[in-house]
Amino acid sequence: DRDFFNNLLSGGDPIRELLQWLNQGEAFRAARTENQWRGFVEICKSQLNFDPENDGPIKAAGLLAYRKANWDKVWGRFCEAPTRYTVVPSLIRKTQLPPGLFDDKSSWPQWNEAEERNLRQLMLKTAQVPAHEARQQILDAEEQHARRRELVWAELGESPLAVALKSLTTLAEVTKQTAASGTLEELSAAYQTKGWTADAAVLEALSAVQSQEDLAAVRAVIQSLYLPWLDDSARHLQKLVAATTYPGRPAASSASLSTEAGDVFLFVDGLRFDVARSLDGLLRQQGYAVEVSAHWAALPSVTATAKPAVTPVRHLIRGQDVNADFEPSVAATGQSLKGGYQLKKLLTDSGWQVLEHQDTGDPRGTAWTEVGDIDHEGHVRGSQLSRNLDGILRNIRDRVSQLLAAGWKNVRIITDHGWLLLPGGLPKTELPAALSDNTWGRCAAIKPGAACNESLYPWYWNADLNFALAPGVSCYRAGVEYTHGGLSLQECLVAFLHVTTQAGGFRASSTQIQSVSWKGLRCKVTLSTSGQGLLLDIRTHPANSATSVTTGEKPFKGDGSASVVIEDDSLMEHEATIVILDPNGQLIAQKTTMIGRES
């Protein structure tokens, strides 16, 4: 029939053609012959009751937004891939919204923009009411705006506040329950179970918005809901510690770390508990087995003190009698660990491999390596840290994959401390400059003999030295969004992750065959990652080792390459399978090849 031939002329997919015409304008017609254009026009008339020549693109955009009759199919196709048709929303903006009060206006971007403005105003007003009222306003707003996250405008990035609202609703739900109750054990257990999700929700909400006006709205909600909850929990923890003792042991009574051959310690500076749980999820998605355990950071919770405390050589470190920087020293020589050289030397002298960058070392021993400096990013970026965390966590995940693929049995991810993050800045508390040798964000070294009313705590590396910690989540400096060093669950309760490969699990996702080349009956294979600990074989049936056609399995080198020789020259040009094996003989990658054929 006529439609069949018009379809053939116009390209066979009239809905796609119509969306392309809307998106490309005159360029669409210029790229087609007269017959192709006539076919397109006729099919639009027949199937959509619309004439592109006489009605024009703005009328088409209005019909598209109304979604009547066959136009609903066009709208569905647009929503499947809206980034292909970036001009379409601007055309719809030139059309009028339906006048009826109960008409569905969700297909119009201007309606969505109005909803975003309304939500922005509501969020900003939460700063003017008590926390319980602000919390209810957010929960009510979620009921109204949640559906907008399912619309095409959210996919196009035009509903950032509706997206952020999901995380802010989580924050509202979690902060309903006070975190300022119970014993130390109960407080720790509650935070590990649910409390950390409030911290995660703040980061998620911040990462959802880009513009300053949207950031101001999200910041208002966080300040209203999160700050009181955060401060109450910190003050309760500080009260419990003052009445008993800090749950983290001082250096003098800390047990030595238990290690074994095949252990690699992966240090991440500033891996806060909630961020560690996100990393846990990424690693499990890759098929790894992960055990999470909670630990208390050394006090004060700054890198200078807390990083050496989680190293396997902490028994070789002590604190000097006078130290305003909270930096310990090598016990035998008194040399400061500042700068990192002496710490690496202690590790090396104690038989630990110190792996730099992409080095994988010898998995038969033990090693120390570092990746993903979250703490540095936090100090530099403040509340904008949230936008960079996903990339940092992916780099850590990839490093874990690289180490396990190289043959390490256990990757033990450790950290020194967490941190506080509050957009707009933490509240400031005063400390007279005459009392302190060195004032950090949350802690201060008090001058010897100085009398003060501050709460004093013993230094992890030398209990004879005391330092002051700011109360609650306040800070000794004004306008600080990101900091650490004080006493709070967010700064002091951290997670360690013990990562191993699943028994018999495939690791094809992290170890892949990059290239195969034949020279006669010798086959050279190169992997996408370091191949240390892996083996190469060629078999006629990949899962059956008895069908190997080589002179024997060959280990991969550190650069990810290995080669094997085929015994029987009569197999030339026969099909076989290249297989990659882990140290336990489990198949983790494979590729079909033709023996002896250049590739």
Side-chain angles (χ1 to χ4, degrees):
D1 61 12
R2 183 178 61 181
D3 279 358
F4 173 79
F5 287 105
N6 284 327
N7 253 327
L8 291 180
L9 282 173
S10 66
D13 189 343
I15 293 179
R16 183 191 64 193
E17 296 280 304
L18 175 61
L19 288 170
Q20 288 178 340
W21 170 67
L22 286 172
N23 198 61
Q24 297 172 13
E26 288 301 318
F28 176 87
R29 181 170 185 174
R32 281 155 180 78
T33 65
E34 184 60 26
N35 283 336
Q36 288 173 328
W37 172 252
R38 297 310 322 164
F40 168 68
V41 169
E42 292 302 320
I43 204 71
C44 285
K45 289 179 179 179
S46 172
Q47 296 189 6
L48 296 169
N49 195 26
F50 167 76
D51 184 348
E53 283 186 315
N54 296 312
D55 294 333
I58 293 179
K59 181 175 181 179
L63 293 169
L64 175 63
Y66 269 103
R67 295 178 287 167
K68 303 295 184 182
N70 283 342
W71 284 93
D72 190 52
K73 296 178 182 178
V74 184
W75 177 258
R77 181 73 70 86
F78 166 65
C79 292
E80 287 176 3
T83 56
R84 293 183 181 178
Y85 312 109
T86 55
V87 175
V88 170
S90 64
L91 291 174
I92 299 177
R93 284 188 178 91
K94 297 177 181 179
T95 68
Q96 294 296 316
L97 284 164
L101 183 62
F102 299 103
D103 288 330
D104 182 5
K105 302 177 177 64
S106 61
S107 302
W108 276 264
Q110 53 266 49
W111 167 84
N112 183 68
E113 290 162 1
E115 291 293 291
E116 282 285 289
R117 287 193 297 271
N118 293 337
L119 181 55
R120 186 180 301 113
Q121 290 302 314
L122 182 147
M123 288 181 171
L124 289 169
K125 290 178 180 178
T126 59
Q128 304 167 11
V129 299
H132 70 278
E133 291 185 22
R135 187 174 294 112
Q136 190 58 52
Q137 289 177 1
I138 292 300
L139 296 176
D140 292 344
E142 171 67 3
E143 292 187 8
Q144 178 182 347
H145 293 275
R147 65 183 288 261
R148 291 200 293 117
R149 292 194 290 271
E150 308 302 321
L151 301 178
V152 67
W153 313 120
E155 185 174 347
L156 288 172
E158 296 183 13
S159 307
L161 291 179
V163 173
L165 183 60
K166 181 179 181 181
S167 301
L168 294 175
T169 300
T170 299
L171 179 64
E173 293 285 1
V174 175
T175 55
K176 276 184 180 179
Q177 303 296 323
T178 180
S181 62
T183 64
L184 275 169
E185 293 75 14
E186 291 168 341
L187 189 65
S188 170
Y191 181 73
Q192 293 177 55
T193 302
K194 190 175 182 180
W196 64 269
T197 60
D199 306 324
V202 168
L203 294 177
E204 290 168 0
L206 288 171
S207 66
V209 294
Q210 299 289 332
S211 71
Q212 287 301 311
E213 60 179 358
D214 287 345
L215 179 60
V218 170
R219 181 169 59 229
V221 178
I222 292 172
Q223 286 274 354
S224 180
L225 302 184
Y226 184 56
L227 178 55
W229 179 86
L230 196 65
D231 193 64
D232 287 347
S233 69
R235 290 181 185 275
H236 184 65
L237 174 61
Q238 292 160 12
K239 180 180 177 181
L240 292 174
V241 170
T244 55
T245 185
Y246 179 65
R249 295 181 177 181
S253 60
S254 295
S256 299
L257 294 175
S258 176
T259 60
E260 59 180 282
D263 282 358
V264 54
F265 280 64
L266 179 60
F267 176 79
V268 182
D269 196 349
L271 184 66
R272 195 170 71 170
F273 195 95
D274 57 311
V275 183
R277 292 304 300 263
S278 296
L279 177 59
D280 172 32
L282 283 179
L283 293 168
R284 291 180 189 274
Q285 288 174 10
Q286 291 291 99
Y288 295 121
V290 185
E291 295 179 10
V292 181
S293 57
H295 300 263
W296 291 93
L299 283 183
S301 52
V302 295
T303 302
T305 286
K307 179 179 178 180
V310 296
T311 67
V313 292
R314 66 186 179 195
H315 60 288
L316 302 175
I317 300 169
R318 68 177 179 86
Q320 298 283 8
D321 291 337
V322 178
N323 196 313
D325 294 324
F326 309 116
E327 195 90 49
S329 306
V330 179
T333 64
Q335 293 171 295
S336 173
L337 296 185
K338 191 170 186 177
Y341 171 78
Q342 291 298 331
L343 180 59
K344 290 182 179 180
K345 187 174 185 300
L346 277 180
L347 287 163
T348 302
D349 291 347
S350 299
W352 285 77
Q353 304 168 65
V354 177
L355 308 181
E356 303 290 347
H357 306 297
Q358 299 301 308
D359 294 344
T360 54
D362 182 355
R364 294 171 297 180
T366 55
W368 171 276
T369 189
E370 302 180 20
V371 69
D373 194 341
I374 297 171
D375 191 37
H376 172 76
E377 292 294 310
H379 285 298
V380 171
R381 299 182 183 276
S383 60
Q384 294 185 8
L385 166 66
S386 58
R387 300 177 187 176
N388 296 70
L389 278 174
D390 285 347
I392 294 173
L393 292 183
R394 286 194 296 269
N395 287 338
I396 298 170
R397 176 203 62 191
D398 293 345
R399 181 60 165 152
V400 171
S401 296
Q402 182 186 41
L403 292 166
L404 289 172
W408 291 95
K409 294 180 181 179
N410 304 292
V411 177
R412 301 186 183 276
I413 303 175
I414 58 176
T415 191
D416 46 0
H417 57 74
W419 29 271
L420 297 173
L421 185 143
L422 189 73
L426 292 158
K428 185 179 185 296
T429 191
E430 296 295 336
L431 178 69
L435 298 179
S436 173
D437 282 329
N438 191 357
T439 303
W440 295 48
R442 292 269 291 147
C443 59
I446 301 300
K447 291 180 178 179
C452 68
N453 296 322
E454 301 297 312
S455 299
L456 300 179
Y457 300 83
W459 184 31
Y460 174 85
W461 291 106
N462 186 339
D464 293 332
L465 295 180
N466 293 323
F467 58 91
L469 293 182
V473 293
S474 62
C475 187
Y476 289 128
R477 297 175 181 173
V480 175
E481 292 188 326
Y482 172 100
T483 190
H484 55 91
L487 182 54
S488 68
L489 292 167
Q490 286 72 19
E491 295 166 282
C492 297
L493 190 60
V494 297
F496 290 179
L497 279 60
H498 176 197
V499 189
T500 58
T501 55
Q502 297 276 17
F506 257 79
R507 295 311 314 151
S509 59
S510 58
T511 301
Q512 300 178 1
I513 296 172
Q514 190 172 49
S515 65
V516 177
S517 61
W518 286 93
K519 289 188 177 180
L521 292 174
R522 177 176 292 277
C523 178
K524 181 180 179 181
V525 175
T526 303
L527 302 179
S528 59
T529 60
S530 169
Q532 287 192 352
L534 303 182
L535 300 170
L536 169 65
D537 197 8
I538 299 179
R539 302 170 179 176
T540 56
H541 295 81
N544 187 351
S545 60
T547 65
S548 173
V549 295
T550 69
T551 55
E553 299 170 353
K554 297 296 183 182
F556 279 88
K557 302 175 184 177
D559 63 358
S561 67
S563 63
V564 289
V565 176
I566 306 300
E567 290 186 301
D568 187 354
D569 59 6
S570 67
L571 295 174
M572 181 72 77
E573 296 290 327
H574 282 228
E575 184 176 281
T577 304
I578 297 166
V579 296
I580 312 300
L581 310 169
D582 69 13
N584 298 318
Q586 298 293 326
L587 182 65
I588 63 170
Q590 65 185 59
K591 184 179 180 68
T592 302
T593 187
M594 298 298 291
I595 295 174
R597 181 178 292 180
E598 280 291 337
S599 60

